[in-house]
Coordinates of all heavy atoms in Angstrom, one line a residue:
M1 N 129.8 78.2 113.1 CA 129.3 77.8 111.9 C 128.1 78.7 111.5 O 127.4 79.2 112.2 CB 128.6 76.3 112.2 CG 128.2 75.5 110.9 SD 129.6 75.1 109.9 CE 128.9 74.6 108.4
D2 N 128.2 79.1 110.1 CA 127.2 80.0 109.5 C 125.8 79.3 109.5 O 125.8 78.2 109.3 CB 127.7 80.5 108.1 CG 128.9 81.3 108.2 OD1 129.4 81.7 109.4 OD2 129.5 81.5 107.1
E3 N 124.8 80.1 109.8 CA 123.5 79.6 109.8 C 122.8 80.0 108.4 O 123.0 81.2 108.0 CB 122.8 80.3 110.9 CG 121.3 79.6 111.0 CD 120.6 80.3 112.2 OE1 121.0 81.3 112.8 OE2 119.5 80.0 112.4
K4 N 122.3 79.0 107.8 CA 121.6 79.4 106.5 C 120.1 79.8 106.7 O 119.2 79.2 107.4 CB 121.4 78.0 105.7 CG 120.8 78.3 104.2 CD 120.8 77.1 103.5 CE 120.1 77.4 102.1 NZ 119.9 76.2 101.2
L5 N 119.8 81.0 106.2 CA 118.6 81.6 106.4 C 118.1 82.2 104.9 O 118.7 81.9 103.9 CB 118.6 82.9 107.3 CG 119.1 82.6 108.7 CD1 119.6 83.8 109.5 CD2 118.1 81.9 109.5
D6 N 117.1 82.9 104.9 CA 116.8 83.6 103.6 C 117.1 85.0 103.6 O 117.6 85.4 104.6 CB 115.3 83.4 103.2 CG 114.4 84.3 104.1 OD1 114.7 85.3 104.4 OD2 113.1 83.7 104.3
G7 N 117.1 85.6 102.5 CA 117.7 86.9 102.3 C 117.2 88.0 103.2 O 117.7 89.1 103.4
N8 N 115.9 87.8 103.7 CA 115.2 88.7 104.4 C 116.2 88.8 105.8 O 116.2 90.1 106.5 CB 114.0 88.3 105.0 CG 112.9 88.5 103.8 OD1 112.9 89.4 103.2 ND2 112.3 87.3 103.6
A9 N 116.9 87.9 106.2 CA 117.9 88.0 107.3 C 118.9 89.1 107.2 O 119.5 89.7 108.1 CB 118.6 86.7 107.6
A10 N 119.2 89.3 105.9 CA 120.3 90.2 105.5 C 119.7 91.7 105.4 O 120.3 92.8 105.2 CB 121.1 89.9 104.2
G11 N 118.5 91.8 105.5 CA 117.6 93.1 105.2 C 118.2 94.2 106.2 O 118.3 95.3 105.8
G12 N 118.6 93.9 107.4 CA 119.1 94.8 108.4 C 120.3 95.5 107.9 O 120.4 96.7 107.8
V13 N 121.3 94.7 107.6 CA 122.6 95.3 107.2 C 122.5 96.0 105.8 O 123.0 97.1 105.7 CB 123.7 94.3 107.2 CG1 123.5 93.2 106.3 CG2 125.0 94.9 107.1
L14 N 121.6 95.4 105.0 CA 121.4 96.1 103.7 C 120.7 97.5 103.9 O 121.0 98.5 103.2 CB 120.6 95.3 102.8 CG 121.3 94.0 102.3 CD1 120.4 93.1 101.5 CD2 122.6 94.4 101.4
R15 N 119.8 97.5 104.9 CA 119.0 98.7 105.2 C 120.0 99.8 105.8 O 119.7 101.1 105.5 CB 117.9 98.5 106.1 CG 116.7 99.4 105.9 CD 115.5 99.0 106.7 NE 115.0 97.8 106.1 CZ 114.9 96.6 106.7 NH1 115.2 96.6 108.0 NH2 114.3 95.5 106.2
E16 N 121.1 99.5 106.3 CA 121.9 100.4 106.7 C 122.7 101.2 105.6 O 123.2 102.2 105.7 CB 123.0 99.8 107.6 CG 122.5 99.2 109.0 CD 123.5 98.3 109.8 OE1 124.7 98.6 109.6 OE2 123.0 97.5 110.6
I17 N 122.9 100.4 104.5 CA 123.7 101.0 103.3 C 122.7 101.6 102.4 O 123.0 102.7 101.9 CB 124.4 99.8 102.7 CG1 125.3 99.0 103.7 CG2 125.2 100.3 101.5 CD1 126.0 97.8 103.0
F18 N 121.6 100.9 101.9 CA 120.8 101.5 100.9 C 119.6 102.1 101.5 O 119.0 101.6 102.5 CB 120.2 100.2 100.0 CG 121.4 99.5 99.3 CD1 122.0 98.4 99.8 CD2 121.9 100.0 98.0 CE1 123.1 97.8 99.1 CE2 122.9 99.4 97.4 CZ 123.6 98.3 98.0
P19 N 119.2 103.3 100.8 CA 118.1 104.0 101.4 C 116.7 103.5 101.1 O 115.7 104.3 101.2 CB 118.4 105.4 100.8 CG 119.0 105.1 99.6 CD 119.7 103.9 99.7
F20 N 116.5 102.2 100.7 CA 115.3 101.7 100.3 C 115.3 100.2 100.6 O 116.3 99.7 101.0 CB 115.0 101.9 98.8 CG 116.2 101.4 97.8 CD1 116.1 100.2 97.4 CD2 117.1 102.2 97.5 CE1 117.2 99.6 96.6 CE2 118.1 101.9 96.6 CZ 118.2 100.6 96.2
E21 N 114.2 99.5 100.5 CA 114.0 98.2 100.9 C 114.8 97.3 99.8 O 114.1 96.9 98.7 CB 112.6 97.8 101.1 CG 112.2 96.3 101.6 CD 113.0 96.1 102.9 OE1 112.8 96.8 103.9 OE2 113.8 95.2 102.7
M22 N 115.9 96.7 100.1 CA 116.7 95.9 99.2 C 116.1 94.4 99.1 O 116.3 93.9 98.0 CB 118.2 95.9 99.5 CG 118.8 97.0 99.2 SD 119.3 96.9 97.4 CE 120.6 95.7 97.3
T23 N 115.4 94.0 100.0 CA 115.0 92.6 100.0 C 113.8 92.4 98.9 O 113.7 91.2 98.4 CB 114.3 92.1 101.2 OG1 113.2 93.0 101.7 CG2 115.4 92.1 102.5
V24 N 113.3 93.4 98.4 CA 112.4 93.2 97.4 C 113.0 93.4 95.9 O 112.5 93.2 94.9 CB 111.2 94.2 97.4 CG1 110.4 93.8 98.6 CG2 111.5 95.5 97.3
A25 N 114.3 93.9 95.9 CA 115.0 94.1 94.7 C 115.3 92.7 94.0 O 115.4 91.8 94.7 CB 116.3 94.8 94.8
Q26 N 115.3 92.7 92.7 CA 115.5 91.3 92.1 C 117.1 91.3 91.7 O 117.6 92.2 91.0 CB 114.7 91.3 90.8 CG 113.3 91.5 90.9 CD 112.6 90.1 91.3 OE1 112.9 89.1 90.8 NE2 111.6 90.2 92.3
I27 N 117.7 90.2 92.0 CA 119.0 90.1 91.7 C 119.3 88.8 90.7 O 118.6 87.9 90.8 CB 119.9 89.8 92.9 CG1 121.4 89.9 92.8 CG2 119.5 88.5 93.7 CD1 122.2 90.1 94.0
T28 N 120.1 89.0 89.6 CA 120.3 88.0 88.7 C 121.8 87.3 89.0 O 122.7 88.2 88.9 CB 120.2 88.7 87.3 OG1 118.9 89.1 87.1 CG2 120.4 87.5 86.3
C29 N 121.8 86.0 89.0 CA 123.0 85.4 89.2 C 124.0 85.3 88.1 O 123.6 85.0 86.9 CB 122.6 83.9 89.7 SG 124.0 82.8 89.9
V30 N 125.2 85.6 88.3 CA 126.3 85.5 87.3 C 126.4 84.0 87.0 O 126.7 83.7 85.9 CB 127.6 86.1 87.8 CG1 128.7 85.6 86.9 CG2 127.6 87.6 87.9
G31 N 126.3 83.1 87.9 CA 126.7 81.7 87.7 C 125.7 81.1 86.7 O 126.0 80.3 85.9
C32 N 124.4 81.2 86.9 CA 123.4 80.4 86.2 C 122.3 81.3 85.6 O 121.4 80.7 84.9 CB 122.7 79.4 87.1 SG 121.6 80.1 88.4
G33 N 122.2 82.6 85.9 CA 121.3 83.5 85.2 C 119.8 83.5 85.9 O 118.9 84.3 85.5
A34 N 119.8 82.8 87.0 CA 118.5 82.8 87.8 C 118.3 84.2 88.4 O 119.1 84.9 88.8 CB 118.5 81.8 88.8
T35 N 117.0 84.7 88.5 CA 116.7 85.8 89.0 C 115.6 85.6 90.2 O 114.7 84.9 90.0 CB 115.9 87.0 88.0 OG1 116.9 87.1 86.9 CG2 115.6 88.2 88.6
N36 N 115.9 86.2 91.3 CA 115.2 86.2 92.4 C 115.2 87.4 93.3 O 116.1 88.2 93.1 CB 115.7 85.0 93.4 CG 115.7 83.6 92.9 OD1 114.7 83.0 93.0 ND2 116.9 83.1 92.2
A37 N 114.1 87.6 94.1 CA 114.1 88.6 95.1 C 115.3 88.4 96.0 O 115.5 87.2 96.4 CB 112.8 88.8 95.7
I38 N 115.9 89.5 96.5 CA 116.9 89.3 97.5 C 116.5 88.6 98.7 O 117.1 87.8 99.3 CB 117.7 90.7 97.8 CG1 118.5 91.1 96.6 CG2 118.4 90.6 99.1 CD1 119.3 92.3 96.7
G39 N 115.1 88.8 99.1 CA 114.7 88.4 100.3 C 114.4 86.7 100.1 O 114.1 86.1 101.1
A40 N 114.4 86.3 98.8 CA 114.1 84.8 98.5 C 115.4 84.0 98.3 O 115.3 82.9 98.2 CB 113.2 84.7 97.3
V41 N 116.7 84.7 98.3 CA 117.8 83.9 98.0 C 118.3 83.3 99.4 O 117.8 83.7 100.5 CB 119.0 84.8 97.4 CG1 118.5 85.3 96.0 CG2 119.5 85.9 98.4
A42 N 119.4 82.5 99.5 CA 119.9 81.9 100.6 C 120.9 82.9 101.3 O 121.5 83.6 100.4 CB 120.6 80.7 100.3
A43 N 120.7 83.0 102.6 CA 121.7 84.0 103.2 C 122.5 83.2 104.3 O 121.9 82.5 105.1 CB 121.0 85.2 103.8
Y44 N 123.7 83.4 104.5 CA 124.5 82.9 105.5 C 125.0 84.0 106.3 O 125.8 84.8 105.8 CB 125.7 82.0 104.9 CG 125.3 80.9 104.2 CD1 124.9 81.0 102.8 CD2 125.1 79.6 104.7 CE1 124.4 79.8 102.1 CE2 124.6 78.5 104.0 CZ 124.4 78.7 102.7 OH 123.7 77.6 102.0
M45 N 124.5 84.1 107.5 CA 124.9 85.4 108.4 C 126.2 85.0 109.1 O 126.3 83.8 109.5 CB 123.8 85.6 109.4 CG 122.5 85.8 108.8 SD 122.4 87.0 107.5 CE 122.7 88.5 108.6
H46 N 127.1 86.0 109.2 CA 128.2 85.8 110.1 C 128.3 87.0 111.1 O 127.6 87.9 110.9 CB 129.4 85.4 109.4 CG 129.6 86.4 108.2 ND1 130.3 87.6 108.5 CD2 129.4 86.4 106.9 CE1 130.5 88.3 107.4 NE2 129.9 87.5 106.4
G47 N 129.4 87.0 111.8 CA 129.5 88.0 112.8 C 129.6 89.4 112.3 O 129.0 90.4 112.8
M48 N 130.1 89.7 111.0 CA 130.3 91.0 110.6 C 129.2 91.3 109.3 O 129.2 92.4 108.8 CB 131.7 91.2 110.0 CG 132.8 91.1 111.1 SD 134.4 91.5 110.6 CE 134.7 90.1 109.5
G49 N 128.6 90.3 108.9 CA 127.6 90.6 108.0 C 127.0 89.3 107.3 O 126.6 88.5 108.1
A50 N 126.9 89.2 105.9 CA 126.2 88.2 105.4 C 126.7 87.7 104.0 O 127.4 88.6 103.5 CB 124.7 88.4 105.1
V51 N 126.6 86.5 103.7 CA 126.9 86.2 102.3 C 125.5 85.6 101.7 O 124.8 84.8 102.2 CB 127.7 84.9 102.2 CG1 128.1 84.5 100.7 CG2 129.1 85.4 102.7
L52 N 125.1 86.4 100.6 CA 123.9 85.8 99.9 C 124.2 84.9 98.8 O 125.0 85.2 97.9 CB 123.1 87.1 99.4 CG 122.8 88.2 100.4 CD1 121.9 89.3 99.6 CD2 121.8 87.5 101.5
R53 N 123.6 83.8 98.7 CA 123.9 82.8 97.6 C 122.7 82.5 96.9 O 121.5 82.5 97.3 CB 124.3 81.5 98.3 CG 125.7 81.6 98.8 CD 126.4 80.4 99.3 NE 127.8 80.5 99.7 CZ 128.7 80.5 98.9 NH1 128.6 80.3 97.7 NH2 130.1 80.7 99.3
C54 N 122.8 82.2 95.5 CA 121.8 81.8 94.5 C 121.1 80.5 95.1 O 121.9 79.6 95.3 CB 122.5 81.5 93.2 SG 121.3 81.0 92.0
P55 N 119.8 80.6 95.1 CA 119.1 79.2 95.5 C 119.3 78.2 94.5 O 119.0 77.0 94.7 CB 117.7 79.8 95.7 CG 117.5 81.0 95.0 CD 118.9 81.8 94.9
S56 N 119.4 78.6 93.2 CA 119.6 77.6 92.2 C 120.9 76.8 92.1 O 121.0 75.7 92.0 CB 119.2 78.2 90.8 OG 118.0 78.8 90.9
C57 N 122.0 77.6 92.1 CA 123.3 77.0 91.9 C 124.3 77.3 93.0 O 125.5 77.0 92.9 CB 123.8 77.6 90.5 SG 124.5 79.3 90.6
D58 N 123.8 78.1 94.0 CA 124.6 78.3 95.3 C 125.9 79.2 95.1 O 126.8 79.4 95.9 CB 125.2 76.9 95.9 CG 125.5 77.1 97.4 OD1 124.6 77.7 98.0 OD2 126.5 76.5 97.9
Y59 N 126.0 80.0 93.9 CA 126.9 81.0 93.7 C 126.7 82.1 94.6 O 125.7 82.5 95.0 CB 126.6 81.5 92.2 CG 127.9 82.1 91.6 CD1 128.8 81.3 90.9 CD2 128.1 83.4 91.7 CE1 129.9 82.0 90.3 CE2 129.2 84.0 91.1 CZ 130.2 83.3 90.4 OH 131.2 83.9 89.8
A60 N 127.9 82.7 95.1 CA 127.8 83.8 95.9 C 127.4 85.0 95.2 O 128.2 85.6 94.3 CB 129.2 84.0 96.7
L61 N 126.2 85.5 95.6 CA 125.7 86.8 94.7 C 126.3 88.0 95.2 O 126.5 89.0 94.5 CB 124.1 86.8 94.9 CG 123.3 85.6 94.3 CD1 122.0 85.6 94.8 CD2 123.4 85.7 92.7
M62 N 126.2 88.1 96.6 CA 126.6 89.4 97.3 C 127.1 89.0 98.6 O 126.7 88.1 99.4 CB 125.3 90.2 97.4 CG 125.5 91.5 98.0 SD 123.9 92.3 98.3 CE 123.3 92.7 96.7
R63 N 128.3 89.7 98.9 CA 128.9 89.6 100.3 C 128.8 91.0 100.9 O 129.3 91.9 100.4 CB 130.3 89.1 100.1 CG 130.5 87.7 99.7 CD 132.0 87.5 99.3 NE 132.0 86.4 98.4 CZ 132.3 85.0 98.7 NH1 132.2 84.8 100.1 NH2 132.4 84.2 98.0
V64 N 128.3 91.0 102.1 CA 128.3 92.4 102.8 C 128.8 92.2 104.2 O 128.4 91.2 104.9 CB 126.9 92.8 102.7 CG1 125.8 92.0 103.3 CG2 126.8 94.3 103.5
S65 N 129.7 93.1 104.5 CA 130.3 93.1 105.9 C 130.3 94.5 106.4 O 130.4 95.5 105.7 CB 131.6 92.5 105.8 OG 131.7 91.2 105.4
H66 N 130.3 94.6 107.8 CA 130.3 95.8 108.4 C 131.3 95.7 109.5 O 131.2 94.9 110.5 CB 128.9 96.1 109.0 CG 129.0 97.6 109.7 ND1 128.0 97.9 110.6 CD2 129.7 98.6 109.6 CE1 128.1 99.0 111.1 NE2 129.2 99.6 110.6
A67 N 132.6 96.4 109.3 CA 133.5 96.1 110.3 C 134.4 97.4 110.3 O 134.7 98.1 109.2 CB 134.4 95.0 110.1
N68 N 134.9 97.8 111.4 CA 135.9 98.9 111.6 C 135.4 100.2 110.9 O 136.1 100.9 110.3 CB 137.2 98.5 110.9 CG 137.9 97.3 111.5 OD1 137.8 97.2 112.7 ND2 138.3 96.4 110.8
G69 N 134.1 100.4 111.1 CA 133.4 101.7 110.6 C 133.3 101.8 109.2 O 133.1 102.8 108.6
Q70 N 133.3 100.6 108.5 CA 133.2 100.6 107.0 C 132.3 99.5 106.6 O 132.3 98.4 107.3 CB 134.5 100.4 106.3 CG 135.4 101.6 106.4 CD 136.8 101.4 105.7 OE1 137.3 100.2 105.9 NE2 137.3 102.3 105.0
Y71 N 131.5 99.8 105.7 CA 130.7 98.6 104.9 C 131.4 98.2 103.7 O 132.1 98.9 102.9 CB 129.3 99.2 104.5 CG 128.4 99.5 105.6 CD1 128.3 100.8 106.1 CD2 127.8 98.5 106.3 CE1 127.6 101.1 107.2 CE2 127.0 98.8 107.4 CZ 127.0 100.1 107.9 OH 126.0 100.4 108.8
W72 N 131.5 96.8 103.6 CA 132.2 96.2 102.4 C 131.2 95.5 101.6 O 130.6 94.5 102.3 CB 133.4 95.4 103.0 CG 134.3 94.8 102.1 CD1 135.3 95.3 101.4 CD2 134.2 93.4 101.6 NE1 135.9 94.4 100.5 CE2 135.3 93.2 100.7 CE3 133.4 92.3 102.0 CZ2 135.6 92.0 100.1 CZ3 133.8 91.1 101.3 CH2 134.8 91.0 100.4
L73 N 131.2 95.7 100.4 CA 130.0 95.1 99.6 C 130.7 94.6 98.3 O 131.3 95.2 97.6 CB 129.0 96.2 99.3 CG 127.7 95.8 98.6 CD1 126.9 94.9 99.4 CD2 126.9 97.0 98.4
D74 N 130.6 93.2 98.2 CA 131.3 92.5 97.1 C 130.0 92.0 96.3 O 129.3 91.1 96.8 CB 132.2 91.3 97.5 CG 132.6 90.6 96.4 OD1 132.1 90.6 95.3 OD2 133.7 89.8 96.7
M75 N 129.9 92.5 95.0 CA 128.7 92.1 94.2 C 129.1 91.5 93.0 O 128.4 91.5 92.0 CB 127.8 93.4 94.0 CG 127.2 93.9 95.4 SD 126.1 95.2 95.0 CE 124.9 94.4 93.9
R76 N 130.2 90.8 92.9 CA 130.6 90.3 91.6 C 129.9 89.1 91.2 O 129.9 88.8 90.0 CB 132.1 89.8 91.8 CG 132.3 88.5 92.4 CD 133.7 88.1 92.7 NE 134.3 88.7 94.0 CZ 135.4 88.6 94.5 NH1 136.4 87.8 93.8 NH2 135.9 89.1 95.5
G77 N 129.1 88.5 92.1 CA 128.1 87.4 91.6 C 126.8 87.9 91.1 O 126.0 87.2 90.7
A78 N 126.5 89.3 91.1 CA 125.4 89.8 90.7 C 125.4 90.4 89.3 O 126.2 91.4 89.1 CB 124.8 90.9 91.6
R79 N 124.8 89.7 88.2 CA 124.8 90.2 87.0 C 124.0 91.6 86.9 O 124.4 92.6 86.2 CB 124.4 89.2 85.9 CG 124.4 89.5 84.5 CD 123.8 88.6 83.6 NE 124.4 87.3 83.7 CZ 124.0 86.1 83.2 NH1 122.9 86.2 82.5 NH2 124.6 85.0 83.3
V80 N 122.8 91.5 87.4 CA 121.9 92.7 87.3 C 121.2 92.8 88.6 O 120.9 91.8 89.3 CB 120.8 92.3 86.3 CG1 119.7 93.5 86.2 CG2 121.5 92.2 84.8
L81 N 121.0 94.1 89.1 CA 120.3 94.3 90.3 C 119.0 95.1 89.8 O 119.2 96.2 89.1 CB 121.0 95.1 91.2 CG 120.4 95.2 92.6 CD1 120.2 93.9 93.3 CD2 121.4 96.0 93.5
L82 N 117.8 94.6 90.0 CA 116.5 95.3 89.3 C 115.9 95.8 90.6 O 115.4 95.1 91.5 CB 115.7 94.4 88.6 CG 114.6 94.9 87.9 CD1 115.0 95.8 86.8 CD2 113.7 93.7 87.4
I83 N 115.6 97.1 90.6 CA 115.1 97.9 91.7 C 113.8 98.5 91.4 O 113.9 99.4 90.4 CB 116.2 98.9 92.4 CG1 117.4 98.1 92.8 CG2 115.4 99.5 93.6 CD1 118.5 99.1 92.8
S84 N 112.6 98.2 91.9 CA 111.4 98.7 91.4 C 111.3 100.2 91.9 O 111.8 100.5 93.0 CB 110.2 97.8 91.8 OG 109.6 98.5 92.9
E85 N 110.8 101.1 91.1 CA 110.6 102.5 91.4 C 109.8 102.5 92.7 O 109.9 103.4 93.7 CB 109.8 103.1 90.3 CG 109.8 104.6 90.3 CD 109.1 105.0 89.0 OE1 107.9 105.0 88.8 OE2 109.9 105.3 88.1
D86 N 108.8 101.6 92.9 CA 107.8 101.7 94.0 C 108.7 101.4 95.4 O 108.5 102.0 96.4 CB 106.9 100.6 94.0 CG 105.9 100.8 92.9 OD1 105.6 102.0 92.6 OD2 105.1 99.9 92.6
A87 N 109.8 100.5 95.2 CA 110.6 100.3 96.5 C 111.4 101.5 96.9 O 111.6 101.9 98.0 CB 111.6 99.1 96.2
V88 N 111.9 102.2 95.9 CA 112.6 103.5 96.1 C 111.9 104.6 96.6 O 112.3 105.3 97.5 CB 113.3 103.9 94.8 CG1 114.1 105.2 94.9 CG2 114.3 102.9 94.2
Q89 N 110.6 104.6 96.2 CA 109.8 105.8 96.6 C 109.0 105.5 97.9 O 108.4 106.4 98.5 CB 108.8 106.1 95.5 CG 109.6 106.7 94.3 CD 108.7 107.0 93.1 OE1 107.6 106.5 93.1 NE2 109.3 107.6 92.0
A90 N 109.0 104.2 98.3 CA 108.3 103.9 99.6 C 108.8 104.6 100.8 O 110.0 104.9 100.8 CB 108.2 102.3 99.7
Ligands
ZN1 ZN1 122.8 80.8 90.2

């Protein structure tokens, strides 16, 4: 059974892919238009990665998996990803 956490739980696998702190990036939901920090959305961790879900409408914002030497990132639920310059330069 997947455990519901917040998006900070996915920070580890996201940090393996992105060269900056993704949990402070703002993500806008395709389903309802809500914008939240990735660290503040719902995260369901599983053996190979995580599913990030909108806290307002439960739409799947981002799915990230790491298996067989590859990262698989499905972002069809993210309308916009807003990354602050400060996060990139930190
Ligand atoms: Zn939503």
